[in-house]
Amino acid sequence: MKSNGNTKLIVLHPSIHKHGGASHRLWLLFFVSFFTLAFILTLINTAVPTPTTAASAASVHSPLPHSAVEALLHYAAASNATGHMTAAEMASIAGVLRRCSSPCNFLIFGLTHETLLWKALNSNGRTIFLDESEFYIAKFEEKHPDIEAYDVQYTTKVSEMSELIRSAKEQVRNECRPVQNLLFSDCKLGINDLPNHLYQVDWDVILVDGPRGYFSAAPGRMSAIFTAGVLARSKKGGSGKTHVFVHDMNRDVERICSNEFVCKENLVETKDLLGHFVVETMKPNSYSFCRNPTKSSSPSSSSS
């Protein structure tokens, strides 16, 4: 009986395990082969980047060659267009852009003769233009679709400068404080109608070269300079400093408003009619634009 029991066990059970074991081994072989192939393909794709990937990486991290920068500056300065910047002025801004950490955030008030130059010099960063003319922006974007520009509805006039500065000083602890999100501000000098996302950008460089300011009824650059000062002081990330350039510093509005809102103490360089300021971030509970506030200068009798 003992012998028969062993025989039954041998006859029945091996047949079951034989088929089941073969099936399991086939499945195991399939999975091992599949994952080995997947691993090899992943390793190849990771170790050998495609030309497109390599080119993309190079375009992101490689700055514009110095020779290209020099050529762009040369031809921009040699232009016969009226009102363009001098070679020294353009070189000052170009130098800051070249040293700016990539990607550099560059905000420009005014579509000018140098617009395409600024876009090219900051080819690895983000360059935004603001202008008073919606029509001019549309025409410019039609010719240059890679330009990102937005119109600003200025409500100020050059003739109102003194009154606007006085109002800003009175509201410096409220609507016109130096650290805030201007999207929610009712300060008369603050620009609060830009696309929402622009107020969240940590601007590295800001250039004020617009709007028009050469006659009393023109919008003037009071709001642009005030807004540049607030954006620079309200940064939450990136570098703790912002380079602010103000053009046409020979005029009353540009000179006086720069002293009030980007401050003499922050002036690091002047080139012809260009003022270069380096403005540091401030704490939210700051209520003074300048460490050494000065009384507003009176407009000169000369034409501005």
Side-chain angles (χ1 to χ4, degrees), residues 166-200:
R166 183 165 53 252
S167 173
K169 286 186 172 183
E170 292 173 354
Q171 292 290 318
V172 74
R173 300 182 68 87
N174 191 9
E175 296 295 336
C176 299
R177 59 192 183 277
V179 180
Q180 61 171 309
N181 186 337
L182 286 171
L183 179 63
F184 308 106
S185 175
D186 287 327
C187 181
K188 292 180 180 179
L189 279 179
I191 298 175
N192 62 4
D193 61 344
L194 301 177
N196 295 7
H197 66 276
L198 296 186
Y199 296 101
Q200 307 301 322

Side-chain angles (χ1 to χ4, degrees), residues 2-23:
K2 189 173 181 179
S3 177
N4 291 338
N6 290 337
T7 303
K8 290 181 180 179
L9 183 63
I10 293 172
V11 171
L12 292 175
H13 293 281
S15 63
I16 294 174
H17 286 289
K18 185 175 181 179
H19 295 291
S23 176

Side-chain angles (χ1 to χ4, degrees), residues 264-284:
K264 271 187 176 181
E265 68 223 29
N266 297 323
L267 181 66
V268 296
E269 182 186 45
T270 55
K271 291 291 184 182
D272 298 332
L273 303 182
L274 183 72
H276 177 193
F277 302 81
V278 178
V279 182
E280 297 184 358
T281 56
M282 285 184 171
K283 295 180 179 179

Side-chain angles (χ1 to χ4, degrees), residues 236-249:
K236 291 183 172 60
S239 168
K241 298 179 180 180
T242 300
H243 294 266
V244 178
F245 293 92
V246 180
H247 196 218
D248 298 318
M249 286 286 287

Side-chain angles (χ1 to χ4, degrees), residues 96-244:
V96 170
L97 290 174
R98 189 168 183 82
R99 296 188 298 271
C100 186
S101 298
S102 182
C104 186
N105 294 317
F106 187 16
L107 179 66
I108 301 106
F109 289 86
L111 283 176
T112 65
H113 171 72
E114 294 80 23
T115 293
L116 296 179
L117 174 67
W118 305 140
K119 175 68 175 176
L121 292 180
N122 193 37
S123 58
N124 291 333
R126 184 179 187 185
T127 307
I128 305 293
F129 298 90
L130 306 175
D131 195 81
E132 62 184 299
S133 174
E134 185 178 2
F135 174 78
Y136 186 42
I137 290 175
K139 287 295 183 183
F140 202 91
E141 288 182 328
E142 185 178 332
K143 293 182 179 179
H144 309 284
D146 59 330
I147 291 290
E148 185 176 357
Y150 303 94
D151 67 291
V152 179
Q153 301 299 316
Y154 291 99
T155 59
T156 57
K157 294 180 181 179
V158 169
S159 59
E160 301 170 342
M161 179 189 67
S162 297
E163 179 186 342
L164 290 167
I165 291 177
R166 183 165 53 252
S167 173
K169 286 186 172 183
E170 292 173 354
Q171 292 290 318
V172 74
R173 300 182 68 87
N174 191 9
E175 296 295 336
C176 299
R177 59 192 183 277
V179 180
Q180 61 171 309
N181 186 337
L182 286 171
L183 179 63
F184 308 106
S185 175
D186 287 327
C187 181
K188 292 180 180 179
L189 279 179
I191 298 175
N192 62 4
D193 61 344
L194 301 177
N196 295 7
H197 66 276
L198 296 186
Y199 296 101
Q200 307 301 322
V201 177
D202 294 317
W203 300 105
D204 299 296
V205 186
I206 301 176
L207 168 62
V208 178
D209 201 11
R212 295 167 300 157
Y214 52 87
F215 58 100
S216 61
R221 299 175 185 173
M222 300 83 70
S223 290
I225 296 171
F226 174 87
T227 298
V230 172
L231 292 174
R233 293 177 175 87
S234 304
K235 287 174 66 173
K236 291 183 172 60
S239 168
K241 298 179 180 180
T242 300
H243 294 266
V244 178

